[in-house]
Amino acid sequence: YAPWCGHCKKLEPEYAEAAKQIGDMAVLAKLDATVEKAAAQKYEIQGFPTIKVFRKGTLSGDYNGGRSAADFVKYVKGNSGPAVKAAANAAELDAMKKENDVVVVLSVAAVGGDAFEAFEKVANSMRGDVAFAVVTDASLLGGKTDAITLFRNFDEPEEAFDGEITDVAAVTSFVKDASVPLFDQIGPHNYKMYLDRKLPIVWVFAAESDVAAREAGKLSAPGFKGKLSFVWIDSSKYGQMAQRLGLKGDKFPAIAIDNEGKHFAMPDGDITQESLTAFVTDYVEGKLVATVRTEEAPEPHTVEGMTTVVGSTFDELVMDADTDVFIEFYAPWCGHCKKLEPEYAEAAKQIGDMAVLAKLDATVEKAAAQKYEIQGFPTIKVFRKGTLSGDYNGGRSAADFVKYVKGNSGPAVKAAANAAELDAMKKENDVVVVLSVAAVGGDAFEAFEKVANSMRGDVAFAVVTDASLLGGKTDAITLFRNFDEPEEAFDGEITDVAAVTSFVKDASVPLFDQIGPHNYKMYLDRKLPIVWVFAAESDVAAREAGKLSAPGFKGKLSFVWIDSSKYGQMAQRLGLKGDKFPAIAIDNEGKHFAMPDGDITQESLTAFVTDYVEGKLVATVRTEEAPEPHTVEGMTTVVGSTFDELVMDADTDVFIEFYAPWCGH
C-alpha cells in the first residue's frame, strides 16, 4: 500500500476487520511500498493496493477478489484446509451450497483412486473461486456414482458433467464454463473472470430502471452459451466506458460486442430479445463490420509539413505511404505532448519530403491507439513503407528529429569517395563506422549493410574503396566518434554480422556520460549494471572521478552521471538516502549497491566498483524499523527486514497488501 492512496484508505477498515475474523486460518499483512521499495520492486508492484498471496513461503499470485471483509473471509475459508471437502450427509452438502455460489460435487464409492485424484487437481487449480465436495453416499447425488454435478445459485440450479471424470482438462473446462452466469452484472469483482474466459463479450449498457434491455440480454444469452459472454453494466455509473467499445456514449440503453479490441456497436433502436438475438447471430456468422469511431478528416491533411491523421485516413496516409512515416500518438491534455509540439512542428518543416511527420489524437482515435498498444503519451511510431518498424526513442528536439531522418533516408551505407566527404559525415554524426574494401559488393559489404540496416538512425555507416582514407587499411572496419578515444578499430572477422554489431553497439556508447531521456533506453538495452554518479554541475570532482574510473570497467559496467539538483529524488529508488550529494550507487536489474559516504575520488570509486565486480558487496535495502509487536488485532505489519520471517518462512497462507498511504482505494 501507499499511505497517500485513496483506494488503500478505503480498503483499510475492511482488511482490518477481515484480519480479526480470519484468526489463525491465515495471516493478513500489510507493507508500506513507498518505504519498502526493494520489496515492491522485487514483486513488480505497479499500483495500489496490490495484494499478493504466499502459500507456505511460495508466491501463489495476486488476490483479485472482492474488497469487503466478507469477501476476504470467504476467500480464506475457501482456501483453508483440503481443496476437496467431504460431505457425509445431506445437511453438510446443503450447508456448502448455502455458503457458496457454486459447488462441484464428485460422487464415488470411496475417496481415493484416479477419479478422486483428478478431481483434487481441478479443485487445487481453482481454489477460492469455486467450492469442491466429495460424497460417497450416491443418494446425495440422485443415486449417481462415478459422476460430477455442479450446483449453483443462479441460472439452472444444477448441471451434470457428461465427460470422462478422470480427464482433468475436460472437468476444468466444464467447471469454468458452468460457473459463469449466462447473464450477470459486470464489475471489479468479476471483470477479470470474463477476460480470462477469452470469449467475445456482449455488453448491455443499461441503468437499473432499464428493465426491458436487461431482460433482452437475459433471454438472449442462453442461445449463445459457450460462444459469447453476456453482461450488463450500469450506464448511469460507467457510461463513459461505452465510447471505448465503439458506442457514441450519448444514448442508453445501448449494446456493443467486444472481441480482443474489435468493437461492434448495435444500431440504435428498440432492444428486445428478437433484435438482440438477430444482432449477435449476425456477429457469430461474420456479417458485421467492426465499428470505428473517428474524427472528420481535416482538409488539407498536411499543413506546413505536419500531417494530421484520423482513423479513416490511417491506411491512406500511413500504411500506403511510399516513404517513412513518423506518427505521434498524443493526448491533448498531456504536458509532455505540449512540450514536444513546437519541436515536432519545426522538424516537419525542415524535413520536407525526406519523410512524413504525422500526429494522431489517441484520445479520439482509440481503435488505432489500441491496435498499436499505446501505453503512454507521446508515443512516436515509425512506419517504413507501410510496415511498422518500431518506436522512435531518440531526442525530442527539432534537430534530433532532422538528424534521425537524415540518417535513415537513402541507403543505410553511404559511399565516401574522398576525405572531404568522409570528414563531412564525421562532423554531422557523433559516430561513423567505416568499412574499407577494394570494391563495393561481396560478402564483407553485404554483412556490413546488414549491420547498418539494423542500426539505422543510431549510427552512421560509410564505405570507402580508397584505402588511404583508412590509413592504408583495406578489408577493415574502423569506428570514429567525437568523444573518448576518437577512433577504434574492429579486430574481428568483418563478415561476422553479430560480432560487428556487438562492436558497434559497445564502441558507440561513451565510457562516461550524462544520462537523460535521450539515452536512458540505450543504457537499459545494454543489459549492463549501471554506476550512477549523482552530482550537480558544480560537483566537478565527483564527475571527474566517474570519468577516470570508467575506462577500467569497459564492457562490464556503464558509468553515467545524473544532475542531482534536478533528479535527486531518484537516488532513493537506487538505495541511497537521497539527503546528501554527490553520491554513487550501482544498479543491476533492481538490486542496488550504495557507495558509503566519504570523499569521491578515482581511487575510492574504483575500489568500490571493484568490490562489486568481485562480489564483495551486499545489496542495499532501505527499510522502516520493524514495529513491536508486528501483529495487532490480527493485522501483521511487514517491513523489508521482517519480510522473510513473516512471509517467506510462514507455515500458513499469507495475504500481503502492498499499499501506498495516500491511496484512496
Side-chain angles (χ1 to χ4, degrees):
Y1 72 96
W4 43 259
C5 166
H7 296 294
C8 300
K9 292 175 182 175
K10 184 178 179 182
L11 172 66
E12 187 176 7
E14 298 291 334
Y15 198 57
E17 177 58 31
K20 296 176 187 176
Q21 293 183 31
I22 284 167
D24 58 5
M25 284 190 292
V27 173
L28 261 62
K30 62 181 182 178
L31 177 144
D32 185 344
T34 65
V35 176
E36 308 303 338
K37 295 180 180 179
Q41 191 169 44
K42 179 178 180 180
Y43 293 103
E44 300 178 351
I45 305 305
Q46 303 295 322
F48 303 114
T50 294
I51 299 174
K52 298 281 183 183
V53 182
F54 291 79
R55 300 196 188 283
K56 296 186 178 180
T58 300
L59 176 62
S60 172
D62 287 5
Y63 169 78
N64 293 306
R67 298 295 174 97
S68 70
D71 289 324
F72 286 113
V73 173
K74 178 182 175 182
Y75 184 91
V76 170
K77 283 184 176 180
N79 279 271
S80 62
V84 179
K85 294 180 172 60
N89 51 52
E92 290 183 4
L93 187 58
D94 287 343
M96 286 190 70
K97 293 178 185 177
K98 288 179 181 178
E99 288 180 1
N100 300 277
D101 292 332
V102 178
V103 180
V104 189
V105 184
L106 168 69
S107 173
V108 285
V111 173
D114 293 343
F116 179 78
E117 287 182 8
F119 191 69
E120 197 171 36
K121 285 181 181 177
V122 177
N124 274 309
S125 72
M126 301 184 71
R127 286 190 76 123
D129 299 324
V130 175
F132 290 80
V134 61
V135 298
T136 54
D137 179 353
S139 68
L140 297 179
L141 216 64
K144 293 182 287 184
T145 191
D146 293 327
I148 294 173
T149 299
L150 181 143
F151 297 90
R152 57 198 168 207
N153 64 10
F154 51 85
D155 299 339
E156 290 297 319
E158 64 182 83
E159 185 172 344
F161 173 63
D162 59 5
E164 176 54 59
I165 63 173
T166 57
D167 186 337
V168 172
V171 175
T172 301
S173 178
F174 162 73
V175 174
K176 284 186 174 180
D177 190 52
S179 300
V180 179
L182 293 173
F183 184 67
D184 195 16
Q185 184 172 13
I186 195 169
H189 64 291
N190 61 2
Y191 178 71
K192 186 174 182 295
M193 176 190 72
Y194 281 105
L195 293 186
D196 289 344
R197 293 192 83 196
K198 305 295 185 184
L199 292 179
I201 301 176
V202 180
W203 293 76
V204 178
F205 285 84
E208 290 280 354
S209 58
D210 295 320
V211 177
R214 298 207 322 274
E215 188 68 11
K218 181 179 179 180
L219 295 174
S220 300
F224 301 95
K225 182 179 179 182
K227 296 179 181 178
L228 300 96
S229 297
F230 278 67
V231 301
W232 77 273
I233 185 169
D234 191 337
S235 57
S236 66
K237 295 180 180 177
Y238 305 108
Q240 73 278 9
M241 190 174 174
Q243 292 184 343
R244 290 171 52 188
L245 298 178
L247 294 164
K248 292 179 181 178
D250 58 355
K251 184 180 179 183
F252 298 106
I255 290 174
I257 299 173
D258 172 44
N259 186 9
E260 295 183 346
K262 286 189 175 181
H263 310 130
F264 302 82
M266 183 171 169
D268 292 342
D270 290 340
I271 297 174
T272 64
Q273 179 186 358
E274 292 72 23
S275 64
L276 178 53
T277 298
F279 171 66
V280 179
T281 299
D282 284 345
Y283 167 78
V284 171
E285 294 177 354
K287 296 178 180 178
L288 301 184
V289 177
T291 305
V292 177
R293 294 289 171 207
T294 180
E295 283 187 307
E296 289 293 315
E299 283 293 341
H301 51 64
T302 300
V303 177
E304 294 187 332
M306 179 61 68
T307 299
T308 299
V309 177
V310 298
S312 60
T313 61
F314 198 96
D315 283 351
E316 174 196 351
L317 299 177
V318 180
M319 305 308 292
D320 298 337
D322 59 2
T323 187
D324 292 349
V325 178
F326 294 67
I327 181 164
E328 175 203 2
F329 290 80
Y330 74 96
W333 45 257
C334 167
H336 296 295
C337 301
K338 292 175 182 176
K339 185 177 180 181
L340 172 66
E341 187 175 7
E343 298 292 334
Y344 198 56
E346 178 58 32
K349 295 176 187 175
Q350 294 183 31
I351 284 167
D353 58 6
M354 285 191 291
V356 172
L357 261 63
K359 61 182 181 178
L360 176 144
D361 184 346
T363 65
V364 175
E365 308 300 339
K366 294 180 180 179
Q370 193 169 42
K371 180 177 180 179
Y372 293 105
E373 299 177 349
I374 304 304
Q375 302 296 322
F377 305 114
T379 294
I380 300 173
K381 298 282 184 183
V382 183
F383 290 80
R384 301 195 188 285
K385 296 184 178 180
T387 300
L388 176 62
S389 173
D391 288 4
Y392 170 78
N393 293 307
R396 297 298 173 95
S397 71
D400 289 325
F401 285 111
V402 172
K403 178 182 173 182
Y404 184 92
V405 170
K406 283 184 177 179
N408 279 273
S409 62
V413 179
K414 295 180 170 60
N418 51 51
E421 291 183 4
L422 187 58
D423 287 343
M425 286 189 71
K426 292 178 186 177
K427 287 179 181 176
E428 289 180 2
N429 299 277
D430 292 332
V431 178
V432 180
V433 189
V434 183
L435 168 69
S436 173
V437 285
V440 173
D443 293 343
F445 179 77
E446 287 182 8
F448 191 69
E449 196 171 37
K450 285 181 181 177
V451 177
N453 275 308
S454 72
M455 300 184 70
R456 285 190 77 121
D458 299 324
V459 175
F461 290 80
V463 61
V464 298
T465 53
D466 180 354
S468 68
L469 297 178
L470 217 63
K473 294 181 288 185
T474 192
D475 293 328
I477 294 173
T478 298
L479 181 143
F480 297 89
R481 57 196 167 210
N482 63 10
F483 51 84
D484 299 338
E485 291 296 320
E487 64 182 83
E488 185 172 345
F490 173 62
D491 59 6
E493 176 54 59
I494 63 173
T495 57
D496 186 338
V497 172
V500 175
T501 301
S502 179
F503 161 73
V504 174
K505 284 186 175 181
D506 190 52
S508 301
V509 178
L511 293 173
F512 184 68
D513 194 18
Q514 184 172 12
I515 195 169
H518 65 292
N519 61 2
Y520 178 70
K521 186 175 182 295
M522 176 189 71
Y523 281 105
L524 293 186
D525 289 344
R526 294 191 82 197
K527 305 296 184 184
L528 292 178
I530 301 177
V531 180
W532 293 77
V533 178
F534 285 84
E537 290 279 354
S538 57
D539 296 321
V540 178
R543 298 206 324 272
E544 188 68 13
K547 180 179 179 181
L548 295 174
S549 300
F553 301 95
K554 183 179 179 182
K556 295 179 181 177
L557 300 97
S558 298
F559 279 67
V560 301
W561 78 272
I562 185 168
D563 192 337
S564 58
S565 66
K566 294 180 180 178
Y567 305 108
Q569 75 279 6
M570 189 173 175
Q572 292 185 343
R573 290 171 52 189
L574 298 178
L576 294 164
K577 294 179 181 177
D579 58 355
K580 184 180 179 183
F581 298 107
I584 290 174
I586 299 173
D587 173 43
N588 185 9
E589 295 184 346
K591 287 189 175 181
H592 310 129
F593 304 82
M595 183 172 170
D597 292 341
D599 290 338
I600 297 173
T601 64
Q602 179 185 358
E603 292 72 22
S604 64
L605 179 52
T606 298
F608 170 65
V609 179
T610 299
D611 284 347
Y612 167 78
V613 171
E614 294 178 354
K616 296 178 180 179
L617 301 184
V618 177
T620 306
V621 177
R622 295 288 171 207
T623 181
E624 281 187 307
E625 288 295 313
E628 283 293 340
H630 51 66
T631 301
V632 177
E633 294 188 332
M635 178 61 70
T636 300
T637 298
V638 179
V639 299
S641 59
T642 61
F643 197 95
D644 283 350
E645 173 196 352
L646 300 177
V647 179
M648 305 309 291
D649 298 337
D651 59 1
T652 186
D653 293 349
V654 178
F655 294 65
I656 180 163
E657 174 205 3
F658 291 80
Y659 74 96
W662 43 259
C663 169
H665 298 295

